[in-house]
Amino acid sequence: MFKPHVTVACVVQAEGQFLVVEETIQGKALWNQPAGHLEADETLLEAAKRELWEETGITAEPQSFIRMHQWIAPDNTPFLRFLFAIDLDKQLPTTPHDSDIDRCLWLDAETIINATNLRSPLVAESIRCYQQEPRYPLSMLGAFNWPFTKGVK
């Protein structure tokens, strides 16, 4: 059976700048969107909000769904990556709570797209998708009879 890793990511934009997180992997500072794995007891939206807070210290709600990427990483790990948009009125200060994150940066789209230190090509592709593709309502991602929701029996 095929079992890809399920991840979520947020393209966070404010004042024409995009938020990236920087982490050191094998001695190299790499950039990514606030992103991470879906946990067993959470919905996709809960995972996106959790990862955003853990990696940046920002509490915000995804506003729309951009795209789902099916991707195979260079090490042959398969992924399904759910991409969300968050548009903020202003750039907020950041305080990463995840010890893997060194710092957060607000950068323009071109700097990110042309960077040579992206964690994966999906980082640049996510910015392009944010700029070019339609946005979809979050209601298209449902959790049917979710057992972790209060009141469900």
Side-chain angles (χ1 to χ4, degrees):
M1 176 189 272
F2 182 62
K3 295 183 181 181
H5 292 251
V6 177
T7 61
V8 296
C10 295
V11 174
V12 182
Q13 181 279 143
E15 303 175 56
Q17 302 279 300
F18 294 88
L19 186 60
V20 296
V21 298
E22 184 177 272
E23 56 192 323
T24 303
I25 299 175
Q26 297 177 355
K28 187 172 181 182
L30 301 177
W31 292 348
N32 196 3
Q33 275 91 28
H37 285 84
L38 175 70
E39 300 294 336
D41 64 345
E42 62 189 1
T43 65
L44 292 166
L45 289 173
E46 289 169 343
K49 291 189 299 189
R50 176 185 51 77
E51 288 291 348
L52 177 66
W53 182 83
E54 286 178 0
E55 295 193 354
T56 70
I58 294 173
T59 301
E61 299 280 332
Q63 296 153 339
S64 57
F65 176 63
I66 300 175
R67 186 164 203 198
M68 191 275 294
H69 288 101
Q70 186 172 357
W71 183 61
I72 297 176
D75 67 358
N76 290 320
T77 302
F79 286 91
L80 296 177
R81 186 179 196 245
F82 291 82
L83 183 63
F84 298 93
I86 299 175
D87 289 300
L88 301 174
D89 292 333
K90 62 180 182 174
Q91 294 176 21
L92 299 175
T94 58
T95 307
H97 298 280
D98 182 334
S99 61
D100 291 337
I101 304 302
D102 298 326
R103 64 181 178 153
C104 302
L105 302 163
W106 289 98
L107 302 168
D108 64 85
E110 289 306 310
T111 299
I112 298 166
I113 290 170
N114 294 315
T116 59
N117 64 326
L118 301 180
R119 177 146 185 203
S120 83
L122 278 178
V123 178
E125 181 62 14
S126 295
I127 298 296
R128 286 190 285 271
C129 288
Y130 173 92
Q131 293 175 319
Q132 300 169 359
E133 294 196 9
R135 309 245 184 114
Y136 301 97
L138 297 175
S139 61
M140 73 181 295
L141 300 171
F144 176 73
N145 202 25
W146 192 242
F148 303 103
T149 303
K150 292 178 182 173
V152 173
K153 296 180 183 188

